[in-house]
Amino acid sequence: MLIVPLSSDKGMCGSINSGVVREVRDFINQNNRNKIKILSVGDKGASGLARPFPDCMKLNISEVQSPINYPTVMAIGEHIVKMGEQSDKIIVYYNEFKSAISTIIRQMELMPRKQFLETLKFAKLYNQTRPDKNTSNPALYELYITSNLWLAFLNNAASEQSARMNAMENASKNAKEILEGLTLKYNQARQARITMELVEIISGASAL
Amino acid sequence: MALRAARLLRFAEATGVTNRLLLTMSSPAESICISKPVDSVTVPGTEGTFTVTNNHSLIVSQLKPGVITVRDGSDNKDYFISDGFLFFNHPTDGSGCCTAEVSAVELVPTSALDKDRASTILSELLAAPKDTEWDRTKAALGAALVNQVIKAAE
């Protein structure tokens, strides 16, 4: 089994990376970890999974350019396909973008190449495939993998953006509240000090 | 606001359409049309160009770089496709509308092609050193693609 968790490289983006890491960790703990390989995309996922499962981590892809483009996803897909050749399934973990304030973690199951080509043998409905089945089916497999990965990457990127915006907005709001509280305290201290100085001067003057 | 309304109209699904070919053309960048009733579509298959109309036989075909012509009445639109697949399906409901789906890697209207830029890129590709296998493959595939772009841009 090959697990591909998608995560970001930079932090400050809420709980999207920790959510993915947690789901992957739970999944591996429920299954036989000797049969599982991890191909991680993004530093945050790699660091979260390297410590509990150092034997499973095979490859980490980081500093994927943003905004992501289709040829990059094709290249990443090649790595995934190569590593997933001997697995019985490939599971991609990503955050699906539901709205600006809600994202949900999804698992996308993809077929390894052998299984896909086997499945196509049963597609007898299509009495013609051009060119012949042996040439076009592998190309179709590449389209299948890359299109699904493209969906996962886009959703994850949108989720990361919105989570970061929300996290930063909350941070700014909290900082503003703390600032207001501290400003009040500062003014109180300043006024207390002025009052004390006045009292000293006045009591000094009245002593004469 | 007007832009959004125009975009929605482009995707307006024709309900109650019978016996027409429904065309969906999309690429990773955008969906050009979704279930649009058309008369016929001419696509560049890897083994040759062919045209599909409603009630064509079921076919899955890989496409090579070339021009896709969409005909709807007297309306002819040309698009350039770099690579992709055409999936032709028969109707699953009783509407008699077959569906043709073009899933392309890159799909643009031919009006968006720049012939001069393509010629420049072609000469750069052919002049580049061909030491490694990757260089040779890139030059061969790139030249095939750019030649088609130049032909389509006329």
Side-chain angles (χ1 to χ4, degrees):
Chain A
M1 231 180 295
L2 176 65
I3 297 186
V4 183
L6 301 186
S7 51
S8 62
D9 288 331
K10 298 195 274 244
M12 309 283 217
C13 48
S15 64
I16 54 166
N17 294 324
S18 52
V20 164
V21 165
R22 197 176 43 233
E23 291 260 343
V24 171
R25 208 177 45 221
D26 290 344
F27 182 81
I28 296 184
N29 287 331
Q30 287 164 6
N31 288 286
N32 183 0
R33 66 190 274 170
N34 296 330
K35 298 224 178 96
I36 295 184
K37 288 192 273 205
I38 303 178
L39 191 161
S40 143
V41 179
D43 282 328
K44 291 288 163 191
S47 54
L49 292 171
R51 209 164 300 147
F53 311 111
D55 47 331
C56 300
M57 279 288 292
K58 296 297 176 203
L59 182 65
N60 176 38
I61 300 176
S62 66
E63 288 183 31
V64 178
Q65 68 178 122
S66 158
I68 192 156
N69 64 6
Y70 197 72
T72 310
V73 176
M74 278 203 267
I76 296 179
E78 279 295 306
H79 283 284
I80 293 178
V81 164
K82 213 186 314 187
M83 202 175 278
E85 294 275 18
Q86 303 304 323
S87 320
D88 48 316
K89 55 182 159 179
I90 301 171
I91 309 180
V92 179
Y93 281 84
Y94 67 102
N95 290 277
E96 181 181 339
F97 181 81
K98 289 194 108 63
S99 76
I101 50 169
S102 102
T103 65
I104 182 170
I105 298 187
R106 286 247 183 257
Q107 293 139 305
M108 178 193 279
E109 272 191 38
L110 298 172
M111 291 189 251
R113 198 200 302 260
K114 255 190 288 219
Q115 202 181 41
F116 184 82
L117 297 178
E118 283 285 319
T119 318
L120 282 186
K121 286 207 187 119
F122 295 105
K124 289 255 166 58
L125 284 177
Y126 293 99
N127 43 17
Q128 294 181 58
T129 48
R130 289 276 174 271
D132 61 287
K133 289 201 180 69
N134 293 329
T135 325
S136 71
N137 288 352
L140 191 56
Y141 179 64
E142 284 175 18
L143 183 73
Y144 157 76
I145 288 279
T146 317
S147 305
N148 281 309
L149 277 177
W150 179 240
L151 175 82
F153 269 95
L154 284 181
N155 266 302
N156 209 49
S159 305
E160 178 193 333
Q161 252 331 62
S162 72
R164 186 165 288 140
M165 264 177 59
N166 286 331
M168 292 294 100
E169 201 176 313
N170 285 337
S172 301
K173 206 163 29 152
N174 293 344
K176 207 182 276 186
E177 283 174 19
I178 294 178
L179 181 64
E180 282 172 15
L182 284 177
T183 310
L184 283 175
K185 273 213 193 116
Y186 168 73
N187 282 330
Q188 278 175 356
R190 188 177 54 88
Q191 288 160 4
R193 194 188 149 129
I194 291 175
T195 310
M196 208 174 61
E197 286 186 9
L198 278 174
V199 163
E200 281 178 17
I201 294 172
I202 292 170
S203 54
S206 65
L208 289 171
Chain B
M1 193 63 215
L3 190 63
R4 208 185 299 164
R7 218 181 289 153
L8 281 173
L9 279 175
R10 205 166 55 169
F11 292 158
E13 288 203 11
T15 45
V17 166
T18 53
N19 293 322
R20 300 218 49 205
L21 176 63
L22 296 177
L23 177 68
T24 303
M25 292 212 293
S26 56
S27 73
E30 65 166 327
S31 271
I32 296 196
C33 51
I34 298 180
S35 292
K36 176 163 175 261
V38 298
D39 287 336
S40 70
V41 185
T42 306
V43 294
T46 42
E47 291 188 349
T49 314
F50 62 98
T51 307
V52 293
T53 56
N54 203 18
N55 296 321
H56 195 273
S57 58
L58 290 168
I59 186 170
V60 168
S61 173
Q62 192 176 350
L63 305 176
K64 65 174 197 260
V67 175
I68 293 184
T69 309
V70 178
R71 287 186 205 84
D72 186 14
S74 50
D75 214 14
N76 272 18
K77 285 213 195 80
D78 281 346
Y79 298 90
F80 181 78
I81 181 173
S82 70
D83 291 285
F85 270 84
L86 166 79
F87 302 95
F88 192 91
N89 284 304
H90 280 178
T92 45
D93 52 13
S95 67
C97 292
C98 294
T99 55
E101 288 164 17
V102 174
S103 296
V105 174
E106 279 174 41
L107 189 60
V108 292
T110 43
S111 49
L113 297 174
D114 183 348
K115 194 160 161 193
D116 300 319
R117 179 111 177 84
S119 311
T120 321
I121 293 183
L122 182 62
S123 36
E124 275 174 31
L125 262 179
L126 294 175
K130 298 183 185 44
D131 309 317
T132 67
E133 178 101 25
W134 165 238
D135 286 332
R136 285 191 286 269
T137 314
K138 178 173 162 186
L141 291 176
L145 175 64
V146 178
N147 275 323
Q148 288 297 323
V149 171
I150 294 174
K151 224 171 25 170
E154 281 156 356

